[in-house]
Amino acid sequence: MSDLGRVLRLDARRTALLVAVPVLTVVGTAAAAMSLCPVAYWDNTVVALLNAVRFLGPVAAALAAWTAVRERPLDYLRDLTARSPATGVLFDLLLLSAAALVSYAAVTVVVVAATLAQSEAGHPHPLGVVAGAGSLVLHVVVGYLTGRLVPHRATAALVLTVAAVWAAARVPGVSWWSLLPPAAFDHIALFTTLRPEILVDQLTWAAGLTTALILGYVMWATRRLLIVLPLVVALGATGAATLGLHRSDGTVTPVSAEPVCRDWPLTVCVHPALRDALPRLIAAATPLAARLNGTPGAFTTVEQRPAWAPLTVADGVATVHLDETLAPGYAARAVRQISETLKDARTCTDPPNRYRELVDAWLLGDDPPSVPDARTARRFASWSEARRRSWLRVHFADYRDCTLGPVNFQPFEHPRLYDAEADTGRLAQ
């Protein structure tokens, strides 16, 4: 009984491994923070957790290997009991995996809280969180079993080095190998989402290989050949998941998103993750819309489009691309996209038309560029806002085709002279 008590006390002492939880939590939180984006998009939250495993996994594997090496000389105490020789190993793996998962859960809580504190958009992917947990447990099992098989002081350092190299070799988008746990994902662009099949294959791969390693060790320790069947099943699942990752056609797929809009003085609609951009975008686009009012390029609605979608100005709707990080100047860049969209690509070629640039500067509220024809530049600068708008209505075709010349800026009188102050439209200035 005294020997059994010593074994039980030895097993209970394994709870000291929980001191590793703060270490793993700090490492995982720091790694996740590096992958978090300023825009709260749930897909990128999951990516941050999955990328954190690339740092958290090697540390957890090294701690597991160190534990295995440290406790290996005490195995003779377990031999004094009637328990299976694999029981102690399985108990150690349970404690180590629990410690790693507790730290992973703490990192998940921090990252989710950071997302909820912002204007989050998209939908959470619990499967992605589980896939990251499976990859972390795989690191623990590999590290511990390596320490059992190679009980040397340098084993923990070797495990850390090899696991870190394996994680660093994950380069997003280069090869399907990068999808093997710990997988590396690129930033998930708005209007796209993670493909669930990828997450399922990664979870299956990690779970299958973890199970196979544990069953293989148990079979080696107990000499029970009945374990061969579940071992083969686990290896088969791993192989099937490997083929699934190899045949995968990208990690993301397009997804529609219900936009958020503001309706005055323009109707501006953006991806829900970028709702904070609405005030500045409205303020930047309203002057341009007012100046284009009454021309074929007029618009009363601005809509954000995915980065791969073409930009157009048609039927009163102007489409733009937005910086997902909302970097300084994003609203001005979006308005400039509308101006560029008004060009006819067939006729607007290099070198640029300097007279069109003069008009663009007015439309965008920029300082006028240097124009060789100083007389024309002075004449255009002397016109009132109302006269410029009336002039643009008459000469819009030349503006669009980049064929403006000095003759277009000659003094003129037109019966449809536009009076901005008398306009009762919604874009009145």
Side-chain angles (χ1 to χ4, degrees):
M1 292 297 294
S2 61
D3 291 333
L4 178 60
R6 293 175 64 187
V7 173
L8 293 177
R9 286 194 299 273
L10 176 65
D11 285 344
R13 198 178 66 183
R14 299 299 197 278
T15 57
L17 292 174
L18 294 180
V19 298
V21 172
V23 176
L24 294 176
T25 302
V26 170
V27 172
T29 302
M34 291 189 297
S35 297
L36 278 178
C37 297
V39 176
Y41 194 37
W42 280 111
D43 286 81
N44 285 318
T45 298
V46 174
V47 167
L49 288 173
L50 292 173
N51 286 339
V53 176
R54 297 169 59 196
F55 296 85
L56 194 58
V59 177
L63 289 173
W66 175 76
T67 302
V69 171
R70 186 171 69 96
E71 303 297 343
R72 187 71 169 80
L74 300 179
D75 280 350
Y76 74 94
L77 293 175
R78 286 171 171 160
D79 294 338
L80 298 177
T81 70
R83 296 190 299 179
S84 168
T87 302
V89 172
L90 295 178
F91 186 75
D92 287 346
L93 286 175
L94 178 62
L95 283 178
L96 290 166
S97 298
L101 291 177
V102 167
S103 65
Y104 182 74
V107 175
T108 302
V109 170
V110 172
V111 174
V112 169
T115 303
L116 291 174
Q118 305 177 65
S119 301
E120 80 279 1
H123 302 284
H125 291 275
L127 190 59
V129 179
V130 176
S135 178
L136 184 59
V137 172
L138 174 60
H139 280 82
V140 171
V141 171
V142 171
Y144 182 84
L145 294 183
T146 302
R148 296 286 302 181
L149 297 176
V150 188
H152 193 277
R153 293 182 179 180
T155 300
L158 178 63
V159 167
L160 176 62
T161 301
V162 173
V165 170
W166 172 253
R170 312 268 77 82
V171 180
V174 173
S175 171
W176 71 272
W177 281 95
S178 297
L179 297 178
L180 296 178
F185 290 91
D186 273 323
H187 166 78
I188 305 299
L190 300 181
F191 301 101
T192 62
T193 187
L194 287 168
R195 294 179 60 226
E197 306 87 53
I198 295 292
L199 301 176
V200 170
D201 287 335
Q202 289 177 345
L203 176 60
T204 303
W205 194 91
L209 186 56
T210 300
T211 304
L213 290 172
I214 294 175
L215 291 176
Y217 181 84
V218 171
M219 186 176 66
W220 174 80
T222 63
R223 302 297 191 272
R224 294 184 179 179
L225 298 180
L226 291 177
I227 300 177
V228 171
L229 182 58
L231 175 61
V232 171
V233 173
L235 290 175
T238 303
T242 303
L243 291 176
L245 293 174
H246 176 65
R247 296 169 181 170
S248 62
D249 185 20
T251 59
V252 297
T253 184
V255 63
S256 60
E258 185 67 26
V260 292
C261 302
R262 287 194 181 180
D263 296 327
W264 185 259
L266 293 174
T267 298
V268 179
C269 300
V270 299
H271 190 281
L274 301 181
R275 56 173 60 91
D276 293 339
L278 286 172
R280 290 188 180 182
L281 193 57
I282 290 175
T286 299
L288 176 61
R291 289 163 181 165
L292 290 172
N293 190 30
T295 72
F299 64 91
T300 57
T301 301
V302 178
E303 295 181 353
Q304 181 190 2
R305 287 288 184 266
W308 61 85
L311 299 181
T312 60
V313 177
D315 299 326
V317 178
T319 59
V320 297
H321 297 154
L322 287 181
D323 299 336
E324 295 182 8
T325 58
L326 297 183
Y330 67 87
R333 287 190 290 273
V335 172
R336 190 172 297 277
Q337 291 172 11
I338 299 175
S339 172
E340 292 295 320
T341 304
L342 297 176
K343 286 184 178 180
D344 188 331
R346 296 170 298 177
T347 57
C348 292
T349 58
D350 292 332
N353 183 280
R354 304 296 291 179
Y355 297 98
R356 190 186 198 278
E357 292 181 346
L358 183 66
V359 178
D360 278 338
W362 161 62
L363 290 175
L364 300 174
D366 296 337
D367 294 332
S370 176
V371 178
D373 188 352
R375 183 178 179 181
T376 296
R378 287 194 301 269
R379 180 180 294 122
F380 187 72
S382 67
W383 291 348
S384 66
E385 180 74 11
R387 185 162 187 170
R388 290 181 183 180
R389 297 183 186 183
S390 179
W391 173 90
L392 183 60
R393 285 183 174 184
V394 176
H395 298 279
F396 185 83
D398 292 323
Y399 167 78
R400 181 190 56 209
D401 297 338
C402 299
T403 57
L404 288 175
V407 66
N408 296 103
F409 294 86
Q410 295 301 317
F412 76 100
E413 295 294 337
H414 195 277
R416 296 177 57 194
L417 186 64
Y418 173 67
D419 185 353
E421 296 181 355
D423 184 10
T424 57
R426 51 188 304 212
L427 296 176
Q429 297 296 312

